Amino acid sequence: MKISTFLGLAFAGATVLVVGGLLLKEIVEKNEAQIEKDWNKWINKILAESLSKKLDASPSHIMRTLTKGEDTTLSQRIQQLIKSVELVFQRRSSLSTVEVFLNASFQDGTSLSINTEKAWDDLPSTIRTQFLKTNDTRITVPWNLHDC
């Protein structure tokens, strides 16, 4: 094999690796964005359903306010009512599923706790990374209202 042929093949191989890596990175980033969107939707839906009773507003109106900030008066009422919201990720003996708790406390002294199971791949990458780095079985993170 001639050196020029070898160099040509090496260059082509390197190009394929770089392009493939960039495409893979883009796919992972899009997946992470979708995971975050799904988590925010789940949290906002639960909060909207709970807050609708407290604020005498429809869940859909509260959901629009939480996601798009459409109603500034309602937004202020929501921010005044919510004391704290946290997510607790509880790892099981297997990493394939994680139990997730959404805990909310309100200024009126009431609270809300909802749990669900999620597949490992459906967790935000920051949570997966923290589980792997720390070997903890429980991770608690605060959830902040996004400029609702």
Side-chain angles (χ1 to χ4, degrees), residues 13-31:
T15 302
V16 166
L17 284 175
V18 169
V19 170
L22 291 173
L23 289 173
L24 183 60
K25 180 182 177 193
E26 184 177 327
I27 290 168
V28 168
E29 287 173 354
K30 283 182 181 178
N31 186 47

Side-chain angles (χ1 to χ4, degrees), residues 53-87:
K53 299 168 192 152
K54 296 177 180 300
L55 298 171
D56 195 31
S58 72
S60 61
H61 188 191
I62 292 174
M63 184 76 161
R64 283 191 309 274
T65 301
L66 287 170
T67 57
K68 299 176 184 171
E70 289 183 354
D71 185 334
T72 55
T73 303
L74 183 57
S75 176
Q76 290 171 349
R77 291 177 61 204
I78 291 170
Q79 290 177 359
Q80 290 170 352
L81 183 58
I82 294 178
K83 187 175 185 178
S84 67
V85 179
E86 69 179 9
L87 294 173

